[in-house]
C-alpha cells in the first residue's frame, strides 16, 4: 500500500508511552510501589516472569528518548505520570524528587519544541491506596482529584493536554473482571462498581483541575471499538449490541449524556453499580478533547466454539485482527451519537515480532498497518469528524503488562540487556511521512 494521505497543516503528529511500561526506576528517589510493581513481582502473573523494575530505564535515559523523538520530527509526546512517584502513598505527602523528574522531562521536551500531552492515570495505582480497597473504595476517586489538581497546578501551563484516565475499561474489566491485569481481581460485580468510581473520579478531577485555572486542554482517553455480529443471527446481533453498550457506551454515556446506557444497565441487573446522588452530574461535564485508542473490532459470535473473523489483513503479534475499516466506522458512529469535542487518536499501533537484522529492524507489516489506519481516520475526518491529531503507539518497545517483554509495539527497538535503542524501519518511515506532511517546513529547512 503506497497511498499518501495528506492532512491539514495544523494536525498534530505524535508518539505515546506510559510510565510503568518504560520508566523503570521502581524505587528511585522516593517513589512508592504501585499495584503493577506488586502484581509483576507475584509469580505467575506475568507470562515471561519479568517485571517493570528497569523496563526501558527511561527514568535515567529520557534525554536520549526525547532526542529520538526530535529526530523523527514529531510535534507531540503523550506520556503518563506515575502517581506513586509524586505521591508515594496516593495521599498525603508529595515527593519533590518525583516532581523534579517530570519537570526535567518537560524542560527537555520544551527545548526540542515537542508539546507534552499528559495522562494522569495509566493503570499504576499507588499500592498504599490499593491496601485501602483501591478503585473499589469510593475514597480513591477523591484522592485522584487531589492528585489531578496538583498536576494541573504545577504543570497545567506547560502542557497541551491533560487526560484523566487511559482506558478505564481495562482498569475495570482486566484489573477487576478477569484478573488479567493488576490488582488481579476476578469479580464481575466489583469490576462494574470500579468502572463507576473511575467515571466519578474523572468528573471530580475535571472539576478540581478547572478550579486551578491552567491553560491545558482537559479530557479523557478511552479504548473503543465497533462490535460486529459474526452472522446475521438474532443471537449474534444481540451479542454485538450488548458488547458495544457495555464497553463504548458504558463510559461515553455518563460523560456525554449524564446516564448509563439502558441496555447494559438492564443486563448487568444485580451487578449494576451503586450510584450516589449527583455522581452522574459530576461525570457529565464539558471536556476539551476526547482521546480514542483503537486497535481492533469486537467480533461477536454466540456459537460454540465462537466463529472467528476472516482476518483478511492478518493479525498482530497479540493475535488481534487487523481491521482499519473499524476505525472509520467507530468514529462516524461516535460522531452521530454524541456531541463530541475535538478528537485525538491517542493510541494506534501493532505488536510485531521484530528482530535486528544487520543492524536494522525491518517491520514493514507495521508500516502497512499505520498507513491503512491513517487512511481510515482521514476517511472519517473528511466525513465531518473533528480529528486533531494522531499518536503512534508506541515510541519504544516496552513492558507489555502481563505479556512482559515478549511483545514489541515500539517503532524503536530496545535491547533490554544493553538498553540500546535502534529505530525500526517504521520509525524512519514515520519521520519521512511527517516531512511529506510539512512541505513548507522542509523547504524552509533546505
Amino acid at each position: 500500500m503506497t497511498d499518501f494521505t495528506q492532512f491539514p497543516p495544523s494536525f498534530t503528529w505524535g508518539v505515546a508511552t506510559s510510565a510503568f511500561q518504560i520508566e523503570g526506576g521502581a524505587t528511585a528517589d522516593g517513589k512508592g510501589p504501585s499495584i503493577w510493581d506488586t502484581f509483576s513481582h507475584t509469580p505467575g502473573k506475568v507470562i515471561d516472569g519479568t517485571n517493570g523494575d528497569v523496563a526501558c530505564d527511561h527514568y535515567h535515559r529520557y534525554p536520549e528518548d526525547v532526542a529520538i523523538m526530535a529526530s523523527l520530527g514529531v510535534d507531540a509526546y503523550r506520556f503518563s505520570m506515575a502517581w506513586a512517584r509524586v505521591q508515594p502513598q496516593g495521599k498525603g505527602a508529595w515527593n519533590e524528587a518525583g516532581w523534579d523528574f517530570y519537570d526535567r522531562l518537560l524542560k527537555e521536551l520544551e527545548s526540542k519544541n515537542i508539546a507534552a500531552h499528559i495522562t494522569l492515570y495509566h493503570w499504576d495505582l499507588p499500592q498504599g491506596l490499593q491496601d485501602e480497597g483501591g478503585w473499589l473504595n469510593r475514597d480513591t476517586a477523591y484522592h485522584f482529584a487531589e492528585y489531578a489538581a496538583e498536576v494541573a497546578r504545577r504543570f497545567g501551563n506547560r502542557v497541551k493536554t491533560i487526560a484523566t484516565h487511559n482506558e478505564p475499561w481495562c482498569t475495570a474489566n482486566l484489573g477487576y473482571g478477569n484478573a488479567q491485569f493488576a490488582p488481579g481481581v476476578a469479580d464481575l460485580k466489583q469490576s462494574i462498581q470500579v468502572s463507576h468510581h473511575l467515571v466519578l473520579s474523572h468528573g471530580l478531577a475535571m472539576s478540581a483541575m478547572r478550579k486551578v485555572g491552567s491553560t491545558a486542554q482537559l479530557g479523557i482517553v478511552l479504548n473503543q471499538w465497533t462490535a460486529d455480529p459474526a452472522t446475521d443471527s438474532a443471537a449474534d446481533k444481540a451479542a454485538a449490541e450488548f458488547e458495544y453498550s457495555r464497553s463504548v457506551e458504558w463510559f461515553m454515556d455518563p460523560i456525554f449524556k449524564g446516564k448509563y446506557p439502558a441496555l447494559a444497565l438492564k443486563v448487568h441487573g444485580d451487578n449494576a453499580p451503586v450510584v450516589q446522588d449527583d455522581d452522574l452530574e459530576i461525570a457529565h461535564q464539558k471536556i476539551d478533547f476526547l482521546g480514542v485508542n483503537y486497535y481492533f473490532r469486537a467480533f461477536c459470535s454466540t456459537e460454540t466454539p465462537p466463529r472467528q473473523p476472516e482476518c483478511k489483513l492478518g493479525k498482530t503479534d497479540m493475535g488481534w485482527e487487523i481491521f482499519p475499516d473499524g476505525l472509520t466506522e467507530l468514529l462516524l458512529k461516535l460522531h452521530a451519537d454524541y456531541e463530541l469535542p475535538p478528537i485525538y487518536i491517542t493510541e494506534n499501533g501493532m505488536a510485531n515480532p521484530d528482530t535486528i537484522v544487520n543492524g536494522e529492524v525491518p517491520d514493514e507489516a507495521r508500516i502497512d498497518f499505520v498507513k491503512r489506519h491513517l487512511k481510515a481516520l482521514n476517511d472519517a475526518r473528511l466525513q465531518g469528524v473533528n480529528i486533531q491529531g494522531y499518536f503512534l503507539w508506541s515510541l519504544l518497545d516496552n513492558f507489555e503488562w502481563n505479556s512482559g517483554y515478549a511483545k514489541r509495539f515500539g517503532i524503536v527497538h530496545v535491547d533490554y540487556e544493553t538498553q540500546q535503542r535502534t529505530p525500526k524501519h517504521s520509525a524512519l518511515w514515520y519521520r519521512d511521512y511527517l516531512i511529506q506532511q510539512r512541505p513548507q517546513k522542509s523547504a524552509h529547512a533546505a
Side-chain angles (χ1 to χ4, degrees), residues 1 18 44-45 51 78 85 106 109 117 124 128 134 151 193 211 258 299 309 331 334 392 401-402 438:
M1 182 177 179
S18 88
K45 297 299 186 182
N51 57 60
R78 175 180 174 249
R85 193 176 295 287
L106 288 175
L109 292 167
H117 293 246
D124 49 353
V151 174
Q193 188 63 50
K211 289 177 182 176
F299 191 76
L331 291 169
L334 295 176
L392 184 50
W401 308 111
N402 68 321
R438 308 168 180 132

Side-chain angles (χ1 to χ4, degrees), residues 354-430:
D354 304 316
T355 56
I356 297 179
V357 181
N358 297 323
E360 298 184 1
V361 186
D363 61 339
E364 274 54 38
R366 181 175 286 109
I367 295 172
D368 184 71
F369 178 101
V370 174
K371 283 182 180 178
R372 290 180 184 276
H373 284 81
L374 288 176
K375 181 181 184 303
L377 77 88
N378 196 50
D379 287 346
R381 190 184 67 82
L382 294 175
Q383 294 179 66
V385 184
N386 184 5
I387 306 165
Q388 293 292 315
Y390 175 86
F391 290 82
L392 184 50
W393 183 272
S394 172
L395 174 67
L396 302 171
D397 290 337
N398 54 44
F399 180 81
E400 187 48 39
W401 308 111
N402 68 321
S403 297
Y405 296 99
K407 305 297 183 183
R408 293 182 177 268
F409 273 90
I411 58 172
V412 175
H413 182 277
V414 177
D415 181 322
Y416 297 112
E417 294 296 321
T418 65
Q419 292 296 336
Q420 175 69 37
R421 275 82 158 131
T422 305
K424 303 177 186 180
H425 285 186
S426 58
L428 305 179
W429 171 84
Y430 197 42

Side-chain angles (χ1 to χ4, degrees), residues 192-212:
I192 294 171
Q193 188 63 50
V194 162
S195 72
H196 174 65
H197 289 162
L198 293 165
V199 167
L200 172 64
S201 75
H202 158 76
L204 292 169
M206 290 292 295
S207 297
M209 289 190 290
R210 293 267 187 238
K211 289 177 182 176
V212 172

Side-chain angles (χ1 to χ4, degrees), residues 320-338:
W320 300 341
E321 178 191 18
I322 299 172
F323 194 72
D325 287 350
L327 178 56
T328 310
E329 295 166 14
L330 170 67
L331 291 169
L332 291 176
K333 183 168 176 55
L334 295 176
H335 181 63
D337 292 348
Y338 302 94

